[in-house]
Amino acid sequence: MSDIFYSLVERQPAGKDIVFLLDGSDGTRTGFPAVKDFVQRVVETLSVDDNKDRVSVVQYSKEPAAQFYLNTYTTKGDILDTVRGLRHKGGRPLNTGAALQYLRDNVFTASAGSRLQEGVPQVLVLISGGRSFDSVDAPASALKELGVLTFAIGTRSADSKELQKISHDPSYALTVSEFTDLPNVQQQLQSSRRFGKKIHLMSSCLFSPAGKDIVFLLDGSDGTRTGFPAVKDFVQRVVETLSVDDNKDRVSVVQYSKEPAAQFYLNTYTTKGDILDTVRGLRHKGGRPLNTGAALQYLRDNVFTASAGSRLQEGVPQVLVLISGGRSFDSVDAPASALKELGVLTFAIGTRSADSKELQKISHDPSYALTVSEFTDLPNVQQQLHLCSQRAGCLDLCNWNQEC
């Protein structure tokens, strides 16, 4: 599990705020030493002494109790000493919902040391040994709305569906037989490196104060001529939500069919107005066959580069939105992998004429591939791909079918 947090640290110059919410009810008394040991293992990997990372621990049963807040300690040694000395709270029933609401109102706040308003990633790790007596629905949603990235770890006595509901994404809910198995949590991940990278990318995109670089790759082949106005409209809708004028966000558009053609690069325009004007005036490229593989490779070699305005080396999230109306004539395997290796977070949106498996292969994760009947249905995508620039200047990376 510590590898996940290590991955979260990578390319995060501002660090993160991590809150541990520990089940201290009667049923966890014997396993509590293992819980404390797990928290210590994670804290050991963090950068606390230089104020990159901050830590808080809250223990709960019937009611929550903050053991210390995000601004209580400034050294790793003090945090570790306090965690070692934690006493099991005890009590029942287990009100996880009330505890989550407590975090929302009292811990993820500026007065308690949260740097949410500064764009620092907010991470919650819940460790639970049972099913909640109260409802978790509303407070879990409130934390997601706030932008908190939640991991939920439970024993076999916990409710797996409840853990998934609490987690930012169902794949971030983990189950162990007993708390003594917490060191082996990593074995439950199919690929710890890929999982950690996914979390890092999600956190980067959600919280990066420096904004993001977004590239739109548009299918301009013969088969998309009638739907192209709807594609342009979708791009404009997205651009409208971004912070371009203050250089937080940068945008590029590439259109392709047999060959790709950059309409403009990430450093071509510095105002939202110029971008919108250019997108409105785009002409459909035409041509065939549709070589999506070649287009992805073109992006890797010519667009996600410093000379084209990419701020990848500065740690700014790199986001690709592919909009496709058909199956690729060439292979997408190698170039799709190359973009993932580069750290590009790819969303693939296709019509029913596209190959859904191909879209999933291209996407950073299969859950980031989406199919619409026609391009005219693209406005509905925004109900699933939340563009929340007003809150955190980000693309929300929740599952397509999960309400954020």
Side-chain angles (χ1 to χ4, degrees):
M1 185 72 173
S2 60
D3 279 0
I4 296 176
F5 291 97
Y6 181 78
S7 296
L8 188 60
V9 173
E10 292 181 309
R11 287 167 51 200
Q12 288 291 341
K16 59 202 165 300
D17 297 336
I18 299 186
V19 177
F20 293 91
L21 180 59
L22 311 180
D23 178 349
S25 63
D26 290 345
T28 64
R29 189 175 302 277
T30 57
F32 199 67
V35 172
K36 294 197 298 179
D37 182 68
F38 174 76
V39 174
Q40 292 174 66
R41 287 173 180 267
V42 175
V43 172
E44 285 285 6
T45 70
L46 304 179
S47 299
V48 178
D49 295 343
D50 55 4
N51 197 35
K52 282 186 178 179
D53 302 324
R54 295 183 181 181
V55 178
S56 169
V57 172
V58 175
Q59 194 181 163
Y60 78 105
S61 52
K62 183 179 180 180
E63 297 175 349
Q67 310 296 288
F68 55 91
Y69 294 97
L70 290 164
N71 55 3
T72 303
Y73 299 120
T74 57
T75 70
K76 185 182 295 185
D78 286 343
I79 293 173
L80 292 173
D81 287 344
T82 303
V83 172
R84 288 188 196 101
L86 286 181
R87 294 187 177 184
H88 185 259
K89 186 179 189 300
R92 58 182 179 179
L94 184 67
N95 288 326
T96 307
L100 294 173
Q101 189 62 46
Y102 175 84
L103 297 183
R104 170 66 178 81
D105 298 337
N106 301 280
V107 179
F108 287 110
T109 61
S111 60
S114 168
R115 296 170 291 175
L116 172 65
Q117 298 305 317
E118 301 170 40
V120 176
Q122 307 291 290
V123 181
L124 168 61
V125 181
L126 165 67
I127 304 180
S128 173
R131 178 179 298 178
S132 180
F133 183 76
D134 63 353
S135 174
V136 302
D137 294 10
S141 294
L143 286 173
K144 290 174 185 175
E145 275 297 312
L146 192 64
V148 176
L149 187 67
T150 302
F151 301 86
I153 308 172
T155 64
R156 57 190 172 190
S157 300
D159 183 337
S160 60
K161 291 185 178 179
E162 182 177 271
L163 296 177
Q164 291 176 355
K165 188 180 295 183
I166 294 170
S167 298
H168 180 78
D169 181 275
S171 63
Y172 304 153
L174 308 171
T175 301
V176 294
S177 295
E178 304 291 345
F179 287 135
T180 50
D181 294 325
L182 281 170
N184 301 323
V185 163
Q186 201 169 351
Q187 296 179 7
Q188 295 187 37
L189 307 177
Q190 291 182 351
S191 170
S192 61
R193 287 178 62 85
R194 182 178 178 185
F195 191 79
K197 189 173 183 181
K198 177 179 176 181
I199 293 167
H200 157 63
L201 287 167
M202 178 179 296
S203 181
S204 295
C205 195
L206 281 171
F207 298 104
S208 173
K212 58 206 165 293
D213 296 337
I214 300 185
V215 177
F216 293 91
L217 180 59
L218 311 181
D219 178 349
S221 64
D222 289 344
T224 64
R225 189 174 302 277
T226 58
F228 199 68
V231 172
K232 294 197 297 179
D233 182 68
F234 174 77
V235 174
Q236 291 175 66
R237 288 173 180 267
V238 175
V239 171
E240 285 285 6
T241 70
L242 305 179
S243 298
V244 178
D245 294 344
D246 54 5
N247 198 35
K248 283 187 178 179
D249 301 323
R250 295 182 180 181
V251 179
S252 169
V253 172
V254 176
Q255 193 181 164
Y256 78 105
S257 52
K258 182 179 180 180
E259 296 176 349
Q263 309 296 288
F264 55 91
Y265 295 97
L266 290 164
N267 55 3
T268 302
Y269 299 120
T270 57
T271 70
K272 185 183 295 185
D274 285 343
I275 293 173
L276 290 173
D277 287 344
T278 303
V279 172
R280 289 188 195 100
L282 286 181
R283 293 186 178 184
H284 185 259
K285 186 179 189 300
R288 57 181 178 178
L290 184 68
N291 288 327
T292 306
L296 294 173
Q297 189 62 48
Y298 175 84
L299 297 183
R300 169 67 178 81
D301 298 338
N302 300 281
V303 180
F304 288 110
T305 62
S307 60
S310 168
R311 295 169 292 175
L312 173 66
Q313 298 305 317
E314 301 170 39
V316 176
Q318 307 292 288
V319 181
L320 167 61
V321 180
L322 164 68
I323 304 180
S324 173
R327 178 178 298 180
S328 179
F329 183 76
D330 63 352
S331 174
V332 302
D333 294 11
S337 295
L339 287 173
K340 291 175 186 176
E341 279 299 310
L342 191 64
V344 176
L345 187 66
T346 302
F347 297 88
I349 307 171
T351 65
R352 56 189 173 190
S353 299
D355 183 336
S356 60
K357 290 184 178 179
E358 183 176 272
L359 295 177
Q360 292 175 357
K361 189 180 296 183
I362 294 169
S363 297
H364 178 75
D365 182 271
S367 62
Y368 304 155
L370 179 68
T371 300
V372 292
S373 295
E374 304 289 347
F375 286 136
T376 51
D377 294 325
L378 282 170
N380 299 328
V381 168
Q382 280 180 288
Q383 297 175 7
Q384 296 161 307
L385 174 60
H386 293 265
L387 299 167
C388 47
S389 61
Q390 293 300 316
R391 187 183 78 233
C394 67
L395 280 169
D396 197 338
L397 309 188
C398 299
N399 274 349
W400 294 116
N401 296 319
Q402 178 183 341
E403 183 177 352
C404 299

